[in-house]
Amino acid sequence: MADLLRLLLRVAEKAANVARLCRQEAPLFQLLVQEKTGDDKNKKFVQDFKTLADVVIQEMIRHDVGAQFPEMAAFIHGEESNKFENGLGESVTVTVCGTEEDTAALLATVLDGDHTAASLLARAIHQDPASIDADTDGLTVPLGPSELGIWIDPIDATSQYIEGREEVLEEGHLSPSGLHCALVLIGVYLRSTGEPVMGVINQPFNYKDPAGGRWRGKHFWGVSCGSVNVCSVSRPKGGPGAGLSAVLSSSEKPVVKEALTSLCGPDKLMYASGAGYKILCVIQGLADVYVLSEGSTFKWDSCAPHALLRALGGGVVDLTKCLQSSSQAQEPQMELTYHQPNTDRKGAERWANRGGLVAYRDVSQLHSVIGLLKDKL
């Protein structure tokens, strides 16, 4: 497991490099944005975007993990279809080839012969990133690669990534929108039970270096399996009792906003973009809970941050199941799992967290939220 974690940290940093590169190459970026259609469209957004950066990152992670752990290759799932259409209307299946030159040649067919852009991308895909500083020594978890599967969200909060607004992050404060909401999410789950056991989150646009004007990233990771619970983020100081704070989507139902305003007070009810970023806010202690009443998130959004929350003693539950349950003792069965599709749905909806969710760090705060919403939804 330590080897897998080190690999995921490395491929997540490679992914962040690709995400940064695609924003630096503005003409390339404009050229590549395509709208998702048909079964792949996320209903929540009128315009949900597919970018080549998304597809390239997903296939790069799939390639690198499959090369080192071939037993996992068939269980590496992503948000994106890897079929791309070029200007000639040709459908091209994007994969990572054995050499940088071959990958560049394939990407050039997507990019209508733009060999400069294709070469830039191929170099980032095949280049090893700077070493990632993570204290994974001595991390022993009795799980083998053949027991595990992976969910990838190559760039969560794609709309924020495309819009590209630059915000300065303030220590200890949630920032509702901007490039920092765009995250690379890699979650590992147990195939047998669907439990999330490892997560890596990379924030490619954490801060901008004033000297060179280049963006620098930040990474977070966690492992939760049996008695092993390790996370790169410390539990926030000061337990419950200072009043509950919550983060929501701005499009959340008015009844949920009103109920949580009465519980938290208007100053402690916050809004932010991106499902992954909102759960990261809970992980970092910038909010106590994230509540979502709609089924508008997916397994790839929640798997990675869910593992970090579990390592910190929290979790992510299915809101609808919790509201229907008559007993708090059943809550462990309400945690989201990642191994089974919604068989009555098609396309992306097969992997929707259809009952909504609550992400929490402290179970007493989860109880407060469920108690509050029980008669409202």
Side-chain angles (χ1 to χ4, degrees), residues 29 32-34 36 49-56 80 84 155 158 161-162:
F29 192 72
L32 291 177
V33 180
Q34 296 185 343
K36 293 179 184 175
F49 304 105
K50 182 200 288 181
T51 64
L52 184 61
D54 263 338
V55 178
V56 161
E80 301 294 344
F84 223 84
I155 302 176
T158 312
Y161 174 63
I162 286 169

Side-chain angles (χ1 to χ4, degrees), residues 317-374:
V317 293
D318 182 306
L319 174 58
T320 301
K321 285 182 182 175
C322 284
L323 294 174
Q324 291 168 348
S325 169
S326 56
S327 162
Q328 289 179 357
Q330 292 177 302
E331 271 164 11
Q333 283 80 57
M334 311 297 167
E335 291 282 322
L336 296 186
T337 56
Y338 295 91
H339 61 320
Q340 291 175 332
N342 302 311
T343 51
D344 58 340
R345 300 288 181 92
K346 286 186 172 177
E349 289 294 315
R350 292 177 73 236
W351 299 105
N353 297 318
R354 62 198 293 183
L357 59 82
V358 182
Y360 66 95
R361 261 191 347 271
D362 187 284
V363 74
S364 65
Q365 293 167 334
L366 171 65
H367 294 161
S368 300
V369 169
I370 298 302
L372 176 80
L373 296 177
K374 204 129 199 169

Side-chain angles (χ1 to χ4, degrees), residues 36-50:
K36 293 179 184 175
T37 57
D39 288 344
D40 282 336
K41 193 169 181 67
N42 176 349
K43 287 193 187 75
K44 183 173 177 185
F45 296 101
V46 180
Q47 285 187 305
D48 189 17
F49 304 105
K50 182 200 288 181

Side-chain angles (χ1 to χ4, degrees), residues 7-175:
L7 173 64
L8 295 185
L9 285 163
R10 198 166 75 243
V11 295
E13 184 60 20
K14 275 174 75 169
N17 287 340
V18 172
R20 287 186 287 258
L21 180 77
C22 284
R23 281 220 56 90
Q24 286 159 17
E25 299 293 319
L28 160 68
F29 192 72
Q30 295 304 319
L31 176 75
L32 291 177
V33 180
Q34 296 185 343
E35 283 190 39
K36 293 179 184 175
T37 57
D39 288 344
D40 282 336
K41 193 169 181 67
N42 176 349
K43 287 193 187 75
K44 183 173 177 185
F45 296 101
V46 180
Q47 285 187 305
D48 189 17
F49 304 105
K50 182 200 288 181
T51 64
L52 184 61
D54 263 338
V55 178
V56 161
I57 286 168
Q58 176 179 289
E59 295 310 307
M60 180 181 72
I61 295 169
R62 198 196 300 274
H63 172 271
D64 287 10
V65 175
Q68 190 166 331
F69 297 103
E71 316 95 307
M72 298 182 75
F75 291 87
I76 302 171
H77 317 288
E79 175 185 10
E80 301 294 344
S81 159
N82 64 341
K83 296 200 170 36
F84 223 84
E85 198 169 286
N86 65 14
L88 300 172
E90 299 166 332
S91 183
V92 181
T93 300
V94 175
T95 57
V96 174
C97 304
T99 68
E100 186 179 317
E101 292 72 24
D102 288 348
T103 301
L106 175 69
L107 291 174
T109 63
V110 182
L111 291 163
D112 300 329
D114 186 338
H115 292 280
T116 307
S119 296
L120 277 169
L121 273 178
R123 188 176 310 141
I125 291 166
H126 287 271
Q127 196 171 45
D128 271 335
S131 61
I132 303 298
D133 184 28
D135 186 12
T136 58
D137 293 339
L139 183 67
T140 54
V141 179
L143 291 174
S146 59
E147 298 172 84
L148 305 171
I150 287 180
W151 277 111
I152 305 163
D153 192 343
I155 302 176
D156 188 49
T158 312
S159 59
Q160 296 299 313
Y161 174 63
I162 286 169
E163 196 178 319
R165 217 171 52 252
E166 300 183 5
E167 305 281 347
V168 178
L169 290 183
E170 271 186 77
E171 189 70 35
H173 289 272
L174 177 156
S175 196

